[in-house]
């Protein structure tokens, strides 16, 4: 999953980076505001995630729509 964050100022950016570092998250911060780089980074990540999802589906690692409906039906009965 990817999240694009536009901070308001340098202080917010520093706080966010410190938080991400403290939790050992992987992030890319050298994109700046170049729309081409932002789009390219987003599309690359998006395509990687689609490829991963395709591999999981091909390997049978997914849940069917019917199973999801049953799960929600059970949850409704609990509440």
């Amino acid at each position: 999953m990817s999240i694009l964050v536009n901070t308001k100022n340098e202080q917010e950016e520093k706080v966010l980076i410190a938080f991400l570092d403290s939790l050992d998250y992987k992030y890319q911060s050298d994109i700046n505001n170049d729309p081409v780089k932002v789009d390219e980074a987003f599309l690359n990540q998006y395509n990687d995630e689609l490829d991963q999802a395709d591999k999981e589906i091909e390997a049978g690692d997914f849940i069917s729509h019917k199973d999801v409906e049953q799960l929600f039906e059970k949850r409704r009965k609990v509440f």
Side-chain angles (χ1 to χ4, degrees):
M1 178 171 71
S2 299
I3 299 173
L4 176 63
V5 178
N6 292 315
T7 55
K8 295 176 190 167
N9 55 49
E10 189 175 334
Q11 180 63 28
E12 281 187 356
E13 182 178 348
K14 288 179 181 179
V15 170
L16 178 60
I17 289 173
F19 173 74
L20 295 172
D21 287 341
S22 72
L23 296 174
D24 198 28
Y25 279 103
K26 308 281 186 275
Y27 61 90
Q28 186 175 358
S29 63
D30 58 347
I31 297 173
N32 295 323
N33 290 325
D34 182 356
V36 173
K37 287 186 179 181
V38 171
D39 290 346
E40 181 181 317
F42 171 79
L43 289 174
N44 288 338
Q45 181 65 33
Y46 182 75
N47 287 328
D48 290 344
E49 290 176 12
L50 286 176
D51 291 341
Q52 180 63 34
D54 286 340
K55 289 176 186 173
E56 290 173 3
I57 291 169
E58 289 171 3
D61 185 14
F62 62 90
I63 185 168
S64 72
H65 184 76
K66 183 179 177 181
D67 292 340
V68 172
E69 287 178 338
Q70 290 175 351
L71 173 69
F72 281 113
E73 187 63 32
K74 288 178 186 175
R75 290 178 66 189
R76 281 188 213 122
K77 289 178 183 177
V78 172
F79 296 108

